[in-house]
Amino acid sequence: MREFRKYVLPGDVIVEDNPHIKPLANVIKIDNRIHATRVGIAEVTQNGVKVIPLSGIYIPRVGDLVIGKIIDYSSLAWVVDINSCFLGHLLAQDVFGKEFTPSRDDLTSKFNLGDVIACRIVNFDRTRDPLLTVADKDLGKINNGEIVKISPSKVPRLIGKRGSMIQMIEQLTKCKIIVGQNGVLVVSDSSKEAINMAVRAIMLIEEEAHTSNLTQRVKDMLGGSIA
Amino acid sequence: MKRTSTIVEHLKRIQMIELLAKGKRLDGRGLIDYRELKIEVGLIKKANGSAMVKLGNTQVIAGIKVEVDEPFSDMPDKGLFICNAEVLPTASAYAEPGPPDEDAIELARVVDRGIRESEMIALDKLVLISGKKVYAVFADVSVLNTDGNLFDATSYAVVSALLTTRIPKYEVKDDRLVKTEDTIPLPINTIPVSVTMARIGDNIIVDPTSEEEMCMDARVTISTDDQGRICAMQKGNPGTFTLEQLNNAVSIAIDKGNEIRALIKSICAQAQVG
Amino acid sequence: MNMLMSDDWRRVDGRRWDELRTVKIEVGVLKNADGSAYIEFGKNKIVVAVYGPKEAHPKHLALPDRSILRCRYHMQPFSVDERKNPAPSRREIEISKVTREALEPALILEDYPRTVIDVFIEVLQSDGGSRCAGITAASVALADAGINMRDMVAACAAGKVAGRIVLDINDEEDKMGEADMPVAFLPNLKQISLLQLDGKLTKDEFKECLNLAIQGCMQVYKLQREALMRKYFSTEVEV
C-alpha cells in the first residue's frame, strides 16, 4: 500500500475505494471516500489516514499540560482560562487537600486573579467542562517569565520528535521553556536578549511548521548568537 | 465573556510596569510613541468619501454619505453633520452584535464632538436653499478589529474620509435644485486631530494597546485643531488625573497632534491628485 | 428562450454571458478573530470573521450534542447608493438565515457539543450577489478557523437578463433583469445548500440557470482553494 503525504483543504478526497484503510483523525468517511475535514497535511500510512491540522483552537485532552490564567473563583474552585472554548475548573481540594473547608481556607491565599499556572487536564468529556489539577511537582503558579501564544496546532512541531526541537532551543538560548499543549508557553530563566531569541525561534516555527528542513533553519537562526 | 477581557496575566502586568519605569513599553515603543499608522482613502466608491485606518492592529473603516435634507428649524442656514460609530462583532471575542452599548455611544459622541467643535466642516457653506435644502453629511465609522485606542483610530478614519469626500454640485433654478455632473469637495476649515493617553501608575502613555487599556487607571482623549486650540476633551475610566498630569497631556496632544495632522494631510493630498 | 449564446454578445459591463466578475479572496485578515477572510466580488467588498467554537452564553441555550451555528449578515450604512440605516433590516435578517442554512450542512457541528460558532459577515460595499460572496468568504473563514468541515461551500448566482441566461448578475443587471437565482454548492459532495429565486423562469430555463450557477460555484471554489493554499502553504504551493 502506497504511503504518502499531501496538502489538503476541507472536503478534499484523500483516498477512495479502499475499505481496509482506517480513518484516524480530522477525516470523515462518506460512502467509499475519505475526505479531509481541515486545512492541513494528510498522511496515509499502514495505520490509516489522518490530517495534521494547521489551524484551529485548542480542544482539551485528558493528560495534557496546559498553561492557564485565573479569571474567576468561587468559595470552592477557581475558573481558569486555558485558551480554549471551554473554561477549566480547579477545585480548592486539589490545592488545600481533603481537609479543605471554605470557611477556614481562603482561595486567594493560593491563587489570585491574573495568576498564571501550569496545570494538567484530569477529566474532560462531552458533558462537562475540563477539570484541572496542579498536584504535581512541575505544576503550579508560574512566578516569572515571558508569555508567548502560538496556534495550538503548531505545538507538536515546536516540541519536535521526542522533544528534539524544543530542547535544541533551550540549549542554544539557555532558556527554560514551559510548553502548554494549549498553545500558551512561558519562556524564562535567562537574559532579555536570550529570551527574545527564543521567542523569535518559536515564531519562526509557528510560521513555517508545515515546511521541511525547519530544524536546520532554527539552528542557523540561533547558532549565531549563543547566550 | 466580559470578565475574561479585563484580566491581564499577572506576569504581563509586572513586565509592563518594570518596562514603564525605564520609559519603554511591551512592544518596544517609548511612552509617547504611536504605533504604525496606515490610512487608505477612497476604497468605497459607492460612498462619497471613505477611509480605512490601521493603527497597530486596531482596524476601522469610515464611510461618508451625503444627502440633501431639510435643515433643523432653529438653524436654517447650516448644513447637517451626523456621526455614528459602531464596534462590529468582528472586532473581538467580547464584542456582541446589537445596538451600541455605553462604550460605543461614548466613542461615537467623542468623535463627533472633536469634529463638530473644531468646526472642521464649514456647515454654513453647505446651504443650498436657506431654510429648505441643505447638504446632510453622514459619517459612519465601524471598528473591524480592536487592539486599543479606538478613539484615535475612528477619529482619523472619519477625518480622512471627510477630507477626501466629493459631493454632487447643485444649481438653484427657480427655487428648485438641479443636480449637475460636477463634484466638489466639502468646505473644510481645519483638521482636528485626537490624541489619546492612558495613565498607568505615574506614567502617561500615548496610544494604548488593548493590554495597556486593561491595566490603565485612567485615560484622556484630547482633540486639537491646526491652530493648537483644544476643541474637545474626554476623560474616561474610573481613575483620576492630577492637574499637572492633565497640563502635560495637553502639551503632548498638541505636539503629537501636529505630527499626525501632517501625515493625514499628505495622505489625503496624494489621494486627491492621484 | 434563446439557446444561442453567441460569444460576441456582451453585457452592460462588457462581460460574456458565462463570465464571472473579477474575484479576489484573502485569508486571515482580522487579528482577533479565530478565522477570517476578505472577498471582492466585482464591486462587492465583504469581510467575514468567525469566532468559535466557544462557550454558549447563556448556558441553557447550549445543545448537549452539538454546536450551534449563528450567522449575521450586516451591511454598512455607506455600502449602498442610498445610505442604509445601521439597524438590521428584514432583508438582512432573511439573508442571515439562509446563509446559516447554506453553511450548516458543511460543518461537523457534532464535534463541538455545548458550544456556539459565530459567523459575522460585514458588507463594506454591495453590488449584487453579496449574499453569495458572503457565503463564499464565510466558508473560507471557517476553514481558516480550523472548524471541522465535510466540504467547503462555494456560492454564485445565475439569472436571466435581456432574455438570456447569464452568470453572476451585478446590481445594475438585477434591477432590469427578469430573474436572479443565488446558489450555494458543496463541491466535493456535490450538494446544493442554498437556492433562491427572484423572478420568472420556465422549467427548462431553470435547469439551464441552475447548471450555469453550479459551474460558477466551481469556478469560485477554485479561487477559494487558491486563497487558502496561498496563506497556509505559501512556501511550497501545489494547487
Side-chain angles (χ1 to χ4, degrees):
Chain A
M1 201 224 62
R2 195 170 71 93
E3 299 202 341
F4 66 91
R5 298 180 113 212
K6 76 170 188 172
Y7 293 132
V8 288
L9 299 179
D12 284 1
V13 177
I14 307 172
V15 288
E16 60 183 308
D17 290 325
N18 190 334
H20 304 293
I21 202 160
K22 252 179 79 177
L24 292 174
N26 299 312
V27 292
I28 188 170
K29 187 159 183 187
I30 298 177
D31 296 334
N32 63 339
R33 296 155 128 192
I34 296 184
H35 300 253
T37 63
R38 302 281 282 277
V39 178
I41 302 173
E43 234 180 39
V44 179
T45 64
Q46 304 295 342
N47 300 324
V49 188
K50 71 175 184 198
V51 172
I52 301 160
L54 290 178
S55 77
I57 66 158
Y58 173 65
I59 305 284
R61 275 178 314 236
V62 174
D64 275 359
L65 177 97
V66 297
I67 295 179
K69 170 176 76 175
I70 308 283
I71 58 161
D72 201 355
Y73 57 88
S74 65
S75 54
L76 300 173
W78 293 272
V79 179
V80 188
D81 175 2
I82 52 169
N83 196 35
S84 172
C85 51
F86 302 108
L87 291 174
H89 295 271
L90 179 64
L91 300 178
Q93 279 176 332
D94 187 271
V95 177
F96 289 100
K98 288 219 165 66
E99 308 77 38
F100 163 73
T101 49
S103 52
R104 182 194 64 203
D105 302 312
D106 174 21
L107 264 69
T108 58
S109 63
K110 290 284 182 183
F111 299 132
N112 218 325
L113 295 183
D115 280 353
V116 176
I117 59 171
C119 46
R120 211 172 279 281
I121 301 195
V122 150
N123 206 337
F124 174 61
D125 63 46
R126 297 159 75 84
T127 64
R128 73 188 99 210
D129 284 343
L131 193 66
L132 309 170
T133 182
V134 290
D136 218 339
K137 60 172 172 51
D138 57 337
L139 304 178
K141 181 169 166 181
I142 298 177
N143 288 305
N144 57 50
E146 186 161 323
I147 298 176
V148 182
K149 291 197 178 127
I150 64 170
S151 165
S153 58
K154 311 290 168 81
V155 168
R157 196 73 184 86
L158 174 66
I159 293 178
K161 272 204 179 66
R162 283 179 278 276
S164 53
M165 180 77 92
I166 194 73
Q167 279 162 25
M168 178 181 78
I169 301 176
E170 281 183 314
Q171 276 158 24
L172 290 176
T173 60
K174 307 245 192 305
C175 289
K176 174 172 159 196
I177 307 175
I178 309 176
V179 180
Q181 291 292 327
N182 59 342
V184 182
L185 330 165
V186 180
V187 185
S188 60
D189 274 10
S190 197
S191 67
K192 187 77 177 103
E193 294 72 36
I195 291 180
N196 285 343
M197 283 307 301
V199 173
R200 294 233 319 262
I202 292 167
M203 293 289 126
L204 177 69
I205 294 168
E206 185 184 31
E207 185 74 32
E208 303 189 9
H210 59 284
T211 61
S212 43
N213 252 335
L214 185 57
T215 316
Q216 187 57 47
R217 269 176 283 137
V218 174
K219 205 171 184 183
D220 291 342
M221 181 195 228
L222 298 175
S225 47
I226 299 173
Chain B
M1 273 218 60
K2 279 260 173 218
R3 197 70 196 274
T4 23
S5 73
T6 55
I7 298 177
V8 172
E9 292 89 350
H10 192 52
L11 288 181
K12 268 231 160 94
R13 194 186 282 263
I14 293 176
Q15 223 188 342
M16 196 186 285
I17 294 177
E18 276 173 6
L19 282 172
L20 282 175
K22 299 186 207 152
K24 285 251 169 264
R25 295 147 79 170
L26 284 174
D27 57 7
R29 280 188 284 159
L31 302 184
I32 58 168
D33 291 335
Y34 264 84
R35 286 169 286 179
E36 188 185 12
L37 173 59
K38 289 199 234 179
I39 305 177
E40 189 192 340
V41 291
L43 56 155
I44 307 291
K45 300 282 185 265
K46 287 205 175 183
N48 296 91
S50 58
M52 172 98 84
V53 164
K54 288 186 195 168
L55 178 57
N57 288 322
T58 292
Q59 190 172 351
V60 315
I61 183 166
I64 312 293
K65 295 292 274 180
V66 179
E67 296 174 353
V68 173
D69 277 339
E70 271 178 27
F72 289 130
S73 49
D74 55 341
M75 286 190 283
D77 289 308
K78 283 221 160 120
L80 304 172
F81 172 64
I82 299 106
C83 188
N84 280 315
E86 236 194 293
V87 177
L88 297 178
T90 60
S92 80
Y94 317 105
E96 309 248 309
D101 65 5
E102 63 177 19
D103 289 326
I105 290 177
E106 186 194 18
L107 176 66
R109 288 175 63 87
V110 168
V111 173
D112 177 298
R113 213 170 283 146
I115 294 173
R116 191 184 301 278
E117 298 306 325
S118 69
E119 293 179 286
M120 174 183 180
I121 308 173
L123 293 177
D124 53 340
K125 300 214 175 78
L126 289 179
V127 179
L128 291 163
I129 299 175
S130 173
K132 294 212 189 114
K133 299 277 181 212
V134 298
Y135 285 107
V137 178
F138 289 88
D140 292 287
V141 60
S142 293
V143 181
L144 292 164
N145 194 76
T146 65
D147 189 14
N149 199 5
L150 298 184
F151 287 96
D152 290 353
T154 47
S155 171
Y156 304 158
V158 175
V159 166
S160 303
L162 288 170
L163 287 174
T164 51
T165 289
R166 305 288 305 181
I167 56 178
K169 186 171 174 192
Y170 287 87
E171 276 169 8
V172 185
K173 288 186 176 148
D174 301 324
D175 213 33
R176 300 189 58 217
L177 287 178
V178 177
K179 197 171 178 180
T180 70
E181 292 293 307
D182 292 333
T183 62
I184 48 175
L186 286 173
I188 302 285
N189 287 327
T190 182
I191 300 176
V193 177
S194 127
V195 173
T196 296
M197 289 154 277
R199 176 175 74 74
I200 300 182
D202 291 325
N203 305 103
I204 303 280
I205 53 171
V206 162
D207 183 28
T209 61
S210 271
E211 267 173 351
E212 289 170 332
E213 284 182 348
M214 289 182 217
C215 297
M216 71 183 173
D217 299 301
R219 73 162 147 78
V220 66
T221 297
I222 300 174
S223 269
T224 55
D225 68 10
D226 55 10
Q227 307 285 310
R229 288 178 297 204
I230 306 164
C231 33
M233 292 180 99
Q234 184 93 348
K235 172 258 171 197
N237 252 53
T240 58
F241 284 100
T242 64
L243 202 61
E244 195 189 328
Q245 283 165 344
L246 281 177
N247 282 325
N248 187 24
V250 169
S251 304
I252 296 174
I254 294 174
D255 287 338
K256 284 302 186 185
N258 286 331
E259 276 176 39
I260 306 239
R261 184 171 297 107
L263 181 64
I264 292 178
K265 253 176 151 165
S266 82
I267 291 174
C268 293
Q270 263 181 1
Q272 305 276 46
V273 172
Chain C
M1 187 206 27
N2 192 349
M3 287 292 284
L4 304 165
M5 298 302 173
S6 132
D7 262 3
D8 297 337
W9 183 70
R10 292 284 182 268
R11 295 143 75 173
V12 283
D13 58 359
R15 281 186 291 152
R16 288 194 337 261
W17 62 277
D18 62 349
E19 205 177 324
L20 265 187
R21 284 171 286 178
T22 308
V23 178
K24 172 178 132 169
I25 303 176
E26 254 176 79
V27 187
V29 293
L30 296 175
K31 205 97 190 341
N32 293 340
D34 294 319
S36 60
Y38 171 70
I39 189 167
E40 283 180 11
F41 210 118
K43 292 189 200 155
N44 288 298
K45 291 187 184 200
I46 297 170
V47 72
V48 180
V50 168
Y51 281 95
K54 58 186 190 182
E55 272 208 326
H57 287 284
K59 284 207 162 151
H60 66 258
L61 287 184
L63 292 174
D65 58 342
R66 63 200 266 288
S67 181
I68 297 174
L69 175 67
R70 298 194 299 211
C71 282
R72 186 181 100 132
Y73 167 99
H74 176 247
M75 297 174 74
Q76 294 302 299
F78 47 78
S79 61
V80 280
D81 293 315
E82 300 275 319
R83 179 179 178 268
K84 186 204 158 283
N85 191 303
S89 63
R90 284 153 55 93
R91 177 177 171 274
E92 285 166 299
I93 293 173
E94 186 203 355
I95 294 179
S96 300
K97 179 176 191 284
V98 298
T99 294
R100 184 187 75 239
E101 291 167 349
L103 295 169
E104 210 168 302
L107 305 181
I108 309 178
L109 297 176
E110 305 75 57
D111 283 352
Y112 311 103
R114 297 178 300 115
T115 65
V116 143
I117 296 171
D118 273 332
V119 175
F120 299 117
I121 299 171
E122 294 290 341
V123 180
L124 307 178
Q125 184 166 263
S126 169
D127 191 56
S130 63
R131 85 192 62 191
C132 289
I135 290 169
T136 299
S139 173
V140 173
L142 286 161
D144 187 40
I147 310 257
N148 285 342
M149 296 167 80
R150 293 187 178 85
D151 203 348
M152 294 287 290
V153 184
C156 190
K160 188 172 166 193
V161 173
R164 297 163 201 253
I165 302 294
V166 295
L167 180 64
D168 186 25
I169 300 191
N170 68 23
D171 195 34
E172 208 180 331
E173 290 178 314
D174 193 16
K175 289 194 168 88
M176 61 177 188
E178 295 93 80
D180 176 27
M181 190 166 86
V183 173
F185 191 62
L186 277 63
N188 290 291
L189 300 179
K190 308 244 180 302
Q191 289 167 1
I192 295 161
S193 64
L194 170 88
L195 178 69
Q196 290 181 285
L197 173 66
D198 230 340
K200 263 202 275 246
L201 293 174
T202 66
K203 192 165 135 198
D204 287 335
E205 281 173 334
F206 164 72
K207 263 168 102 172
E208 202 189 324
C209 206
L210 183 58
N211 281 330
L212 188 57
I214 291 175
Q215 269 180 55
C217 291
M218 292 309 287
Q219 285 180 54
V220 167
Y221 174 52
K222 183 154 173 282
L223 296 162
Q224 288 174 313
R225 295 186 63 85
E226 282 170 12
L228 283 167
M229 288 283 183
R230 253 196 320 268
K231 177 183 172 187
Y232 283 92
F233 310 123
S234 63
T235 40
E236 294 168 27
V237 180
E238 43 160 279
V239 182

